[in-house]
Every structure is written in structure tokens, then in C-alpha cells.
Amino acid sequence: MSEAKKHKVKDIFVEGAIDPTFVSESIAKHATRMDIGAHEIFLGQVRADAIEGRAVVAIEYTAYREMALERMTDIREEAFTRWPEMTCLHVHHSLGSIAAGQLCFMVFASAAHRKQAREAVAWVVDSVKEQLPIFGKEILSDNDHVWKRNA
Amino acid sequence: MSEAKKHKVKDIFVEGAIDPTFVSESIAKHATRMDIGAHEIFLGQVRADAIEGRAVVAIEYTAYREMALERMTDIREEAFTRWPEMTCLHVHHSLGSIAAGQLCFMVFASAAHRKQAREAVAWVVDSVKEQLPIFGKEILSDNDHVWKRNA
Amino acid sequence: MKVLLFGLIAEKAGSDHMEIPATSTADLDRQLQDRIRGLKGLSYSIAIDRTIVHGDRALSGSEEIAVLPPFAGG
Amino acid sequence: MKVLLFGLIAEKAGSDHMEIPATSTADLDRQLQDRIRGLKGLSYSIAIDRTIVHGDRALSGSEEIAVLPPFAGG
């Protein structure tokens, strides 16, 4: 049974932005997995939305860590049940201040065939956004702020 | 209008495997695009399938390049019409011998929101597999070979 | 009992926690609204032991209570 | 006219192209099957000027003709 299937509580949080090289290192680690045919990766990037004429320059993320990790463990377990062909699932989310243009969220699934990896990533991304107690303070160009909320 | 929207014929083919660092470099180039909120990436990896007891050790890809690039231009153009929020679409496919565990195919879409990037990648991956005249000779562990065909 | 506060709620309260002796979530709601100016108009959830609850729930005092504004992950 | 061959078809023919003076795609099919041993049992398509065609088509001799086994990209 693979590491990912043990469903232990994994820390998904990283301080600061997710570096693109972290993504390539994650990809490279799968080169020894001869049963993988497809990787699907979602990356969230901080968007410089205009709010009442002021641009978002950064988002400061905080979380209720303990609850977030419990919900993530449930989501991970359900994902491996729903998509049994999935061999690996990696989720990371930033905490702290993430500037516009930087990456704050990664969901990475691998499977023998593309359909399971694709469906799993879509469902995990949506589940994380809906269920994890993560909070985002959007810092505006005039130093004012607004609190982000997922639709 | 962005580079990607000019719909000129781009060469998607690369000689040899796609290096994971190529993926991170592609991601990093989007850090200046303040209107992007979501990246979706599909990667195809050569799987060591067992064929009558022998493992696939590599796939040798060849293509009818001119036709493949024409079909790809059509697919790209249709993708930008179907998903107008998509800001960038990058497609690369390997030619030559790609060992099991290595990457042979990348589709990378970026958009303001995740839904358009996700749908575009799924559709482009499927369209490339169905429509592009790319041929794959699966080299087996006993040096025999079989010709791969997409289902 | 200790009540954890997050995001906009923590900002309004000026703290990431409060000591509130509540016997139920409805009682907790009333006390929070008394003590945190502007809370009444806001959307928030109550989590007991890391699970969001709906409707009124009795509290023994040993639970981990958190007040959660809308989620913004991703 | 020059006919481009790919993948399994090129392997069976021992070459990536053939000179075939065909007046239609049906005529081309017959000549290909005469000249490439084992072709008849295989699945393949004919592309004229980089577009796959179905049914019989007249050929003038100036087209770019290709014989394509099943696709395997991705």
C-alpha cells in the first residue's frame, strides 16, 4: 500500500508562496512509479482583482489548522475511495502573505489513466475550497483590506 | 491580445522526454499575469504496461508533423472560442524514444477562474489524443515491440 | 470556556480567542453578539470539536469551540 | 504521386513513402494492399492534404496523400 493510502493526517500548510520548483520536484518524484500514466495538477494563483478601484496586492492566509487537517484527511480518504485507480494525491496550501502572481494552492493527483486523476483533482479542489476553514485577507494597493470569501 | 490568441502555427513537438523543470519554468512565466487565478496542467507519463508478460520499457513516438500542427492550430483556436476566459494554452508532445516513467505530453491552461482552465485542459487532452496523427511504438523488455493505439 | 476566533471575527474582536461561559450554542451566539461589535450582521458558523454544527446545541464546557467566518481557501 | 506512410504502415512497407499513380482513394487502397503485405487486415485512414477523408475521392495527383494507422498520442 502506498504512502498516500495510509490516510494519516498530513500537514498541507506551507508558510509563504508555493514555488514553481516545488511543483517540478513533486512531478520528478513520480518517475519511478511505473504504473502512473497521468498526472493532473491544479494551481491557484493570487489574482490582482480590482476592488472599488484598488488592486489586490496580496492575500494574507490564516487557518484553523487542526480542523482544516481533519477535514483534509476525510477528503483524502473519500477521494481514494471514489477513485481507486489514483496512486497519489498531494495537497498544499499557503499561509501568510502571498503576493499577486504567486501560487497559494496545489492539488496534484496521479493515476494509471487520465479520467481518474482529472476527476479527483476537480473534486478535491472544490472540496478544499468549500470545507477547509482557511481565511484570506485581501490587502489592497491603498493598504486597506477586505476579507475574501469563496462563492 | 496575448501571444496565445494569435493562433499562429506553433510547434508542439519536442525531441525526447519533457523535463519536470520545463513545467516549473512554464508555471513561473505566468507570475507576471495578474489576471490569472487558476492553472490546470495535464501530464502524460509513459506507463510500464505488461503486454503478454513483457513490460513496456519505452515508447518511440513519431508524427505526421504538418498535419498534427494543423489539427493542433484548429484545436487551439476552438479552445479559445469555447473558453474565452482562458488566457494561455501550452501544449507539448514528445517525439523519439521516451522511457517508462518519463513525461511525453503536457497540456497547460491558465484562466481567471478554475472552471474554464479545467474544462479546457480536459477537452484539449482528449482532442489531441483523438485527432493528432502521432504514432507510438511500445518497446518491450525482450526488444519486441507493439504499436500503441488510443482507445 | 475558550472560544477560538478567526479571520474577520478575530479582527472585529481584537483577539483570536475569548473566554465565554456558555451553556449552549444559542447562549454562545448571544454572548458573542454582546461582546463583538458588528458581529450580528456577519455570516459565521460555529464549530464544536472541529465540526460545524447547525441549530442549538448544549455545551458541557469541555468542547473545542470555534467561530468561523466564510472560508476563502484556494 | 508520393504517398506518405507512418507508424505500423511504414514498418510493414519498409519505407516512409511510396510512389503510387492512383486516380482515386479506392484505387490507392487497392494498390497499397497489393504492395504492402498484411495491410488488408489493418485499420488505417487516408488523409488528403492533411485532412482525413471517408469514402472514395478522385485524386488529381497534386494532393499530399498520407496513410495513417491508429493514433497513439498522449
Side-chain angles (χ1 to χ4, degrees), chain B residues 7-10 69-77:
Chain B
H7 309 306
K8 60 179 187 228
V9 176
K10 289 186 174 186
L69 298 182
E70 285 190 11
R71 289 290 76 69
M72 188 66 233
T73 302
D74 295 344
I75 291 167
R76 180 188 300 280
E77 190 151 355

Side-chain angles (χ1 to χ4, degrees), chain B residues 71-130:
Chain B
R71 289 290 76 69
M72 188 66 233
T73 302
D74 295 344
I75 291 167
R76 180 188 300 280
E77 190 151 355
E78 186 169 345
F80 278 107
T81 303
R82 287 193 185 205
W83 294 283
E85 248 195 33
M86 184 167 65
T87 56
C88 321
L89 174 64
H90 306 282
V91 178
H92 293 278
H93 199 291
S94 293
L95 294 179
S97 181
I98 314 301
Q102 292 193 297
L103 304 175
C104 57
F105 182 32
M106 177 181 96
V107 176
F108 181 162
S110 307
H113 302 94
R114 68 191 185 281
K115 187 164 181 289
Q116 295 229 342
R118 174 191 292 174
E119 290 179 3
V121 166
W123 182 83
V124 170
V125 167
D126 292 353
S127 298
V128 165
K129 285 180 177 257
E130 284 162 21

Side-chain angles (χ1 to χ4, degrees), chain A residues 33 35 47-48 59 64 72-73 78 80 110 114 134 150:
Chain A
R33 287 295 302 258
D35 52 345
R47 215 170 42 235
I59 299 180
Y64 179 13
M72 190 63 234
T73 303
E78 185 170 347
F80 278 107
S110 306
R114 68 192 185 280
I134 298 172
N150 288 339

